[in-house]
Amino acid sequence: MTAVSRIHNTSLHDKVISAEQAAAMFTDNMVVASSGFTKAGDSKAVLNAFAHRVQEEPMQITLVTGASLGHGTDGLLAKSGALSLRFPFQVDSLLRESINKGDVFFIDQHLGETAELLKNGHFPKIDIAIIEATLIEQDGSIVPTTSVGNSAVFAQLAGKVIIEINTRVPLALAGVHDIFMTGSYRSHAIIPVTSPEMRIGSTSIAIDPEKIAGIVITDIVDSPAEIALPDASTKAIAAHLLTFFNQEVEAGRLTQSLLPLQAGIGKVANAVLHGFIESDFEALTMYSEVLQDSTFDLFDSGKLLFASGSSITVSGEYYERIFADFDRYKDKIRIRPQDVTNAAEVIRRLGIIAINTAIECDIYGNVNSSHIGGSNMMNGIGGSGDFARNSYLSVFVTQSAGKGNTLSRIVPMVTHVDHTEHDVDIIVTEQGLADLRGLAPRQRAKAIIENCAHPDFRQALTIYFEEACERGGHTPHVLEKAFSWHTNLAEFGTMKPVDVPANAVDF
Amino acid sequence: MTAVSRIHNTSLHDKVISAEQAAAMFTDNMVVASSGFTKAGDSKAVLNAFAHRVQEEPMQITLVTGASLGHGTDGLLAKSGALSLRFPFQVDSLLRESINKGDVFFIDQHLGETAELLKNGHFPKIDIAIIEATLIEQDGSIVPTTSVGNSAVFAQLAGKVIIEINTRVPLALAGVHDIFMTGSYRSHAIIPVTSPEMRIGSTSIAIDPEKIAGIVITDIVDSPAEIALPDASTKAIAAHLLTFFNQEVEAGRLTQSLLPLQAGIGKVANAVLHGFIESDFEALTMYSEVLQDSTFDLFDSGKLLFASGSSITVSGEYYERIFADFDRYKDKIRIRPQDVTNAAEVIRRLGIIAINTAIECDIYGNVNSSHIGGSNMMNGIGGSGDFARNSYLSVFVTQSAGKGNTLSRIVPMVTHVDHTEHDVDIIVTEQGLADLRGLAPRQRAKAIIENCAHPDFRQALTIYFEEACERGGHTPHVLEKAFSWHTNLAEFGTMKPVDVPANAVDF
């Protein structure tokens, strides 16, 4: 089968061009949109060609995506100086460095909101969208690949569309997608999902064929997800959480099939999902963003009935295995636009159990998911806020300490707030689990310090909390010491009490 | 007409008891729920009688409501030491003092979430609910008074229900309510509101008559809302916002009827609503929480077509006038449960323009709505987070400085985050308006400092921001100085640079 046979609409055959020809359409200051969600289904040929072009011919674009692109794209674009503004998410070390230097402007955005903001005209109009495709249907509509992300709304809003047909993607992916358009004001649609498996849309992205400016054939595989196997610490977190779920079942609040699960990316969330395999829970479902290796392990174990997400982001080994026999999974999966997977109304209606990773939590349960030391961007908030805000249960997991126990991930006050204490129900570290439901701030502080803090930091947290309570307040703080742990870390390399000059801030 | 004629179900006539008899049903550690939303439609007889009983016979209850109760209730209960835990909102000075001392535990909660948390069993079971009523229907169902709040879910979940029939409430209120139950997992309902005026429920609250433990007759009027007439500063804020809305109409993003409006309580929001009366905008609608004096002025001016809310909270003068001729407004109003008025899905679907008041904003657009000096609770987050998070446009208004310009309401870093920068689109002070849409943090800081900060503080904010940028970061901060403005205020009575000892933190 030839590559062009994936273009079922033969009138489009003469639109096939090279990646370099496609990249030549970009001009300085353009707003470019690309498919791609957590490294899955991104533009790997055209954006790469553009990054190379810019090295000879400097220019800058605004780049909007579903979520992060692969390392070959976001990193190379940043290195080439090709980006002026990037949103809504990234995970690349080179791009991150440019963002933190102030060389690239970055908008850190709830992943469920980008489509809405674009439709509302709150951002400039998209000039060109690049969408990776498995194939083009007879009617010209696009069957996406391993992600949907914001591709459907990009196809709708962009002036021109370039399609990257990826011949490495198995044709079996066709049919797994569920494309639903949420509409615009004043005729915004109800998103009618009432169970994770419910199909509400079509299997391909409708597009005006006149807008197709070029079709590029590629065979570059998605950047693989990095594998992080469970270790003693992440297994302990998983065990605490499973014990808690068992208690909830005993209390009659949940059943053995729990409620639909969402799990963020990362080794802790991965360990938690693996923990279910050995558990008594059964007939589980997922209504998540990213379907990872652990999702397929859960399918294979028979524990998981269905999974909805916006991408399949797996390791190289799993990619080969899953797509060699995709029909085995196809009926158990739907890949949807991220304004459907992350929709507040669906998350509330289904009663999601949301499990996300914190960079740090404070003693009152505020969570920082995005910043290091208050100033430096790590990856972004991603979809964690979409899920935490409207879930049945909002769980945040983190290891209690890091960097050889020089830093505590439970701190007096987080240096950046992504999730306010109103939206955080459960905090779990390898030390234990704090159930914050129904607790006032002073009670939350005790529960978090006692259950979650690392023993090396527990006393210092208690001293801070007691001093704060002596001053009074609903959420007692000692403002001049609230960040002393972080400034100590920056200055002395540890949050622990150190021999410091007498005039320095103590704790 | 006698009071008892408001009980259309005659088999309930023998359940009439005194407020003191009702209050005698409470025992130590009970969980009590009461109707009432921003001082409207609260239990004014039974809770008052209980507060008096506790003065003789000490005991404590958990009290959950819709939102704030009147001063005669929350204040008296706090003074009597009758409360161990209170949620989800309050505005009383005596109760606030007890909360900040740590004598009363308080859970500051999104007003749209309380019903959900109760239904999910995340809080202890409600023993007794007290619901103020206009009348009891033949089928035993309850017609509420000036608010709905959480009353419907209280009636559903409580073991016993006490009804307070308030004979001062006009019978014309019957028919204005729209009671819809959102259901429980796994059969959570779609909330089908697609326009502000759409009726989705019934006009009264269904209840199992067996649960009615007593009916108390009262004639105590709601605590009146405090009136804050527009002044030069709040009029300037309104003018900036109206200019912005006009620009949005010119840009084709909005029409002359805008999108449904939500406005928080307070003199700034009130001034903004009054600003519409003299404007060219027309055929406006509201999908809000609280219908205030300004709502009725907008009706009278012909500018407002319809208003949906969870309560009618007006001044004494307006109360008399509105309810003397309520049929004039009745068809233009629906009073609904707060998990419908504040539902994420409806707010997103209708495209609400949300206008709420900030206590302070920081240079990156994070907003503090609830705390003074990081520790002390003012009122609570209320519904501001429900609306800001999912609105079409999230606007926060505040005066740029306060207390004789000794404190800036634009600060380097807010001491408590209720609304993260992701959820804040527009900040307005009397100095001007910062449109933050599509801006990265460093751009947001410039827009906020230039447009919103008071001139007395603008230079100091710029110095902080520039020092932070020299250190670098996506959201540059100087952690050891981030709260120096607040610690200076506490120590020296001003955020302005003062002659301080050489070793003190400078700015």
Side-chain angles (χ1 to χ4, degrees):
Chain A
M1 183 174 141
T2 61
V4 86
S5 70
R6 291 191 178 220
I7 307 172
H8 297 178
N9 182 320
T10 50
S11 72
L12 295 173
H13 283 192
D14 60 0
K15 297 213 177 184
V16 174
I17 55 175
S18 70
E20 290 68 27
Q21 285 174 306
M25 295 182 198
F26 296 15
T27 57
D28 201 21
N29 295 318
M30 262 193 176
V31 179
V32 175
S34 171
S35 63
F37 194 94
T38 56
K39 304 198 270 187
D42 54 341
S43 159
K44 290 172 280 284
V46 178
L47 284 182
N48 190 285
F50 176 64
H52 284 102
R53 177 184 163 208
V54 169
Q55 289 168 9
E56 305 299 316
E57 194 183 347
M59 69 179 79
Q60 291 196 313
I61 58 167
T62 289
L63 178 62
V64 49
T65 60
S68 52
L69 305 185
H71 289 305
T73 321
D74 263 338
L76 192 61
L77 287 166
K79 198 177 165 188
S80 308
L83 302 176
S84 57
L85 175 65
R86 176 82 178 85
F87 62 99
F89 190 70
Q90 58 75 42
V91 298
D92 185 82
S93 57
L94 284 175
L95 177 54
R96 182 184 299 143
E97 200 182 314
S98 299
I99 289 166
N100 288 324
K101 276 187 190 161
D103 294 339
V104 176
F105 284 130
F106 175 61
I107 302 174
D108 177 29
Q109 207 163 68
H110 298 300
L111 295 184
E113 286 199 353
T114 308
E116 199 64 44
L117 297 169
L118 291 168
K119 284 187 296 179
N120 295 344
H122 292 337
F123 288 91
K125 195 167 159 33
I126 296 167
D127 295 301
I128 297 183
I130 316 160
I131 297 173
E132 197 189 55
T134 301
L135 58 86
I136 300 175
E137 297 280 14
Q138 178 62 42
D139 62 3
S141 66
I142 302 166
V143 174
T145 60
T146 45
S147 71
V148 172
N150 285 318
S151 297
V153 79
F154 292 161
Q156 183 186 39
L157 298 178
K160 291 181 183 177
V161 175
I162 296 165
I163 301 173
E164 275 192 34
I165 292 191
N166 191 330
T167 57
R168 281 291 301 274
V169 170
L171 290 165
L173 262 171
V176 81
H177 308 97
D178 184 27
I179 311 297
F180 179 86
M181 306 300 284
T182 54
S184 304
Y185 302 117
R186 302 180 176 250
S187 60
H188 214 287
I190 288 173
I191 303 174
V193 174
T194 55
S195 67
E197 68 277 13
M198 185 175 177
R199 173 173 282 284
I200 61 169
S202 59
T203 55
S204 59
I205 297 171
I207 182 174
D208 173 3
E210 292 297 309
K211 292 211 293 191
I212 300 176
I215 300 171
V216 174
I217 310 292
T218 176
D219 62 358
I220 311 168
V221 172
D222 287 343
S223 297
E226 282 146 31
I227 308 168
L229 291 174
D231 58 18
S233 171
T234 57
K235 279 182 184 168
I237 293 173
H240 294 309
L241 197 50
L242 289 168
T243 300
F244 168 79
F245 287 139
N246 273 312
Q247 289 164 350
E248 290 296 292
V249 172
E250 279 167 32
R253 282 186 286 267
L254 289 171
T255 69
Q256 287 297 119
S257 60
L258 301 176
L259 281 163
L261 299 166
Q262 175 262 335
I265 296 181
K267 64 180 178 179
V268 185
N270 197 44
V272 170
L273 289 185
H274 272 109
F276 281 113
I277 294 174
E278 302 296 316
S279 76
D280 293 332
F281 297 102
E282 55 190 21
L284 298 169
T285 57
M286 292 187 77
Y287 194 84
S288 196
E289 282 181 331
V290 184
L291 308 187
Q292 303 167 71
D293 285 10
S294 50
T295 304
F296 293 89
D297 291 334
L298 276 170
F299 276 134
D300 292 348
S301 74
K303 291 289 186 187
L304 183 65
L305 295 185
F306 198 89
S308 166
S310 199
S311 80
I312 298 173
T313 301
V314 290
S315 65
E317 177 199 337
Y318 277 63
Y319 190 97
E320 294 306 326
R321 185 170 71 72
I322 292 161
F323 290 119
D325 186 17
F326 193 65
D327 284 339
R328 183 174 163 197
Y329 301 105
K330 196 166 158 181
D331 293 342
K332 300 174 182 172
I333 289 177
R334 285 200 210 305
I335 307 298
R336 297 176 155 125
Q338 65 199 70
D339 56 338
V340 173
T341 57
N342 290 29
E345 69 176 277
V346 180
I347 293 164
R348 168 60 51 87
R349 195 180 297 138
L350 298 186
I352 305 296
I353 295 175
I355 305 167
N356 289 290
T357 304
I359 287 178
E360 60 180 8
C361 308
D362 71 26
I363 55 173
Y364 297 111
N366 298 287
V367 169
N368 170 12
S369 298
S370 60
H371 281 66
I372 307 294
S375 300
N376 287 300
M377 172 55 58
M378 189 66 198
N379 300 329
I381 192 168
S384 58
D386 294 322
F387 286 93
R389 180 69 178 79
N390 285 293
S391 56
Y392 166 83
L393 207 61
S394 166
V395 179
F396 281 90
V397 293
T398 184
Q399 288 170 302
S400 68
K403 307 223 176 215
N405 291 354
T406 55
L407 69 84
S408 176
R409 298 198 186 278
I410 310 292
V411 293
M413 183 186 263
V414 289
T415 52
H416 183 91
V417 178
D418 288 297
H419 311 288
T420 70
E421 54 98 358
H422 311 94
D423 301 333
V424 179
D425 297 318
I426 306 282
I427 293 175
V428 198
T429 69
E430 82 290 346
Q431 298 294 320
L433 180 147
D435 180 357
L436 307 176
R437 294 174 298 170
L439 300 187
R442 292 180 190 220
Q443 297 169 302
R444 292 168 74 100
K446 283 186 184 166
I448 294 169
I449 295 171
E450 282 169 21
N451 295 293
C452 299
H454 191 280
D456 287 5
F457 294 99
R458 209 172 285 157
Q459 193 189 359
L461 287 168
T462 303
I463 290 169
Y464 176 88
F465 175 60
E466 286 175 354
E467 182 180 351
C469 286
E470 275 168 32
R471 292 203 189 175
H474 173 62
T475 310
H477 270 298
V478 182
L479 285 187
E480 67 274 25
K481 296 186 183 177
F483 294 145
S484 62
W485 292 38
H486 299 87
T487 54
N488 279 351
L489 181 69
E491 195 172 353
F492 307 112
T494 179
M495 284 185 177
K496 286 180 185 165
V498 286
D499 288 328
V500 294
N503 64 339
V505 176
D506 68 315
F507 73 118
Chain B
M1 182 176 140
T2 62
V4 86
S5 70
R6 289 189 178 222
I7 306 172
H8 297 178
N9 182 322
T10 52
S11 73
L12 295 173
H13 283 192
D14 61 359
K15 297 214 176 182
V16 174
I17 56 175
S18 69
E20 290 69 27
Q21 285 173 306
M25 295 181 198
F26 296 16
T27 58
D28 202 21
N29 296 319
M30 262 192 176
V31 179
V32 175
S34 171
S35 62
F37 194 96
T38 55
K39 304 197 271 189
D42 54 342
S43 158
K44 289 171 282 282
V46 177
L47 283 182
N48 188 287
F50 175 64
H52 284 101
R53 179 185 161 206
V54 170
Q55 289 168 10
E56 306 299 316
E57 193 182 347
M59 69 178 78
Q60 290 196 315
I61 58 169
T62 289
L63 178 62
V64 49
T65 59
S68 52
L69 305 184
H71 289 303
T73 321
D74 263 337
L76 191 62
L77 286 166
K79 196 176 166 187
S80 308
L83 302 176
S84 57
L85 175 65
R86 175 80 177 86
F87 63 97
F89 190 71
Q90 57 77 40
V91 297
D92 185 81
S93 56
L94 284 174
L95 176 53
R96 183 183 299 143
E97 199 181 314
S98 298
I99 289 166
N100 287 323
K101 275 187 190 162
D103 293 340
V104 176
F105 284 130
F106 175 60
I107 302 173
D108 177 28
Q109 207 164 68
H110 298 300
L111 295 184
E113 286 199 354
T114 308
E116 200 62 42
L117 298 169
L118 291 167
K119 283 187 299 181
N120 295 344
H122 293 335
F123 289 89
K125 195 166 157 39
I126 297 166
D127 296 300
I128 297 182
I130 317 161
I131 297 173
E132 196 188 57
T134 301
L135 57 87
I136 299 175
E137 297 280 14
Q138 177 62 42
D139 63 3
S141 65
I142 302 167
V143 174
T145 60
T146 45
S147 72
V148 172
N150 286 317
S151 297
V153 80
F154 292 161
Q156 182 186 42
L157 298 177
K160 291 181 183 178
V161 175
I162 296 166
I163 301 171
E164 276 192 34
I165 291 190
N166 191 329
T167 57
R168 279 292 299 276
V169 171
L171 291 166
L173 262 171
V176 83
H177 307 97
D178 183 28
I179 311 297
F180 179 86
M181 305 301 283
T182 55
S184 303
Y185 301 116
R186 301 178 177 252
S187 59
H188 215 284
I190 289 173
I191 303 175
V193 174
T194 55
S195 66
E197 68 277 14
M198 186 175 177
R199 172 173 284 284
I200 61 170
S202 59
T203 55
S204 59
I205 298 171
I207 183 174
D208 172 4
E210 293 297 308
K211 292 211 291 191
I212 300 175
I215 300 170
V216 174
I217 311 292
T218 176
D219 61 358
I220 310 168
V221 172
D222 286 342
S223 297
E226 282 147 29
I227 308 169
L229 292 175
D231 57 20
S233 171
T234 56
K235 280 183 185 170
I237 293 173
H240 293 308
L241 197 49
L242 289 169
T243 299
F244 168 78
F245 287 140
N246 273 312
Q247 289 163 350
E248 290 296 292
V249 173
E250 278 166 35
R253 283 187 286 267
L254 290 171
T255 68
Q256 287 296 121
S257 60
L258 301 176
L259 281 163
L261 300 165
Q262 175 263 334
I265 296 181
K267 64 180 177 179
V268 184
N270 197 44
V272 171
L273 289 186
H274 272 108
F276 282 112
I277 294 175
E278 303 295 318
S279 76
D280 292 333
F281 298 102
E282 55 190 19
L284 298 169
T285 57
M286 292 187 77
Y287 194 84
S288 196
E289 284 182 330
V290 184
L291 307 186
Q292 303 166 73
D293 285 11
S294 51
T295 305
F296 293 90
D297 291 334
L298 276 169
F299 276 133
D300 291 348
S301 73
K303 292 286 186 188
L304 184 65
L305 295 184
F306 198 89
S308 166
S310 200
S311 79
I312 298 172
T313 301
V314 290
S315 64
E317 177 199 337
Y318 276 63
Y319 190 98
E320 294 306 323
R321 185 169 71 71
I322 292 161
F323 290 119
D325 186 17
F326 192 65
D327 285 337
R328 184 175 162 197
Y329 301 106
K330 196 165 158 182
D331 292 343
K332 301 175 182 171
I333 289 176
R334 283 201 213 303
I335 307 298
R336 296 176 155 126
Q338 67 199 70
D339 56 338
V340 174
T341 57
N342 290 29
E345 69 176 276
V346 180
I347 292 164
R348 169 59 52 86
R349 195 180 298 140
L350 299 186
I352 305 296
I353 296 174
I355 305 167
N356 289 289
T357 304
I359 288 178
E360 60 181 8
C361 307
D362 70 26
I363 55 173
Y364 298 111
N366 298 286
V367 169
N368 170 12
S369 298
S370 59
H371 281 66
I372 307 294
S375 299
N376 287 299
M377 173 54 59
M378 190 65 197
N379 300 329
I381 192 169
S384 58
D386 294 320
F387 285 93
R389 180 67 178 80
N390 286 292
S391 56
Y392 166 84
L393 207 61
S394 166
V395 180
F396 281 90
V397 292
T398 184
Q399 288 170 300
S400 68
K403 307 227 176 213
N405 292 354
T406 55
L407 69 86
S408 176
R409 298 196 186 280
I410 310 294
V411 293
M413 184 187 263
V414 289
T415 53
H416 183 92
V417 178
D418 288 297
H419 312 288
T420 71
E421 54 97 358
H422 312 95
D423 301 333
V424 179
D425 298 316
I426 306 282
I427 293 175
V428 199
T429 69
E430 82 290 347
Q431 299 294 321
L433 179 146
D435 180 357
L436 307 175
R437 293 174 299 171
L439 300 187
R442 291 180 190 219
Q443 298 169 303
R444 292 168 75 99
K446 282 187 185 166
I448 293 170
I449 295 171
E450 282 168 20
N451 294 293
C452 299
H454 191 280
D456 287 6
F457 294 99
R458 208 171 285 157
Q459 193 189 358
L461 287 168
T462 302
I463 291 170
Y464 176 88
F465 175 60
E466 286 175 353
E467 182 181 350
C469 285
E470 276 168 31
R471 292 203 189 175
H474 173 63
T475 310
H477 270 299
V478 183
L479 284 187
E480 67 273 25
K481 296 185 182 177
F483 294 145
S484 62
W485 293 38
H486 299 87
T487 54
N488 278 353
L489 180 69
E491 195 171 352
F492 307 111
T494 178
M495 285 186 177
K496 287 180 183 165
V498 285
D499 288 327
V500 294
N503 65 340
V505 175
D506 67 317
F507 72 117

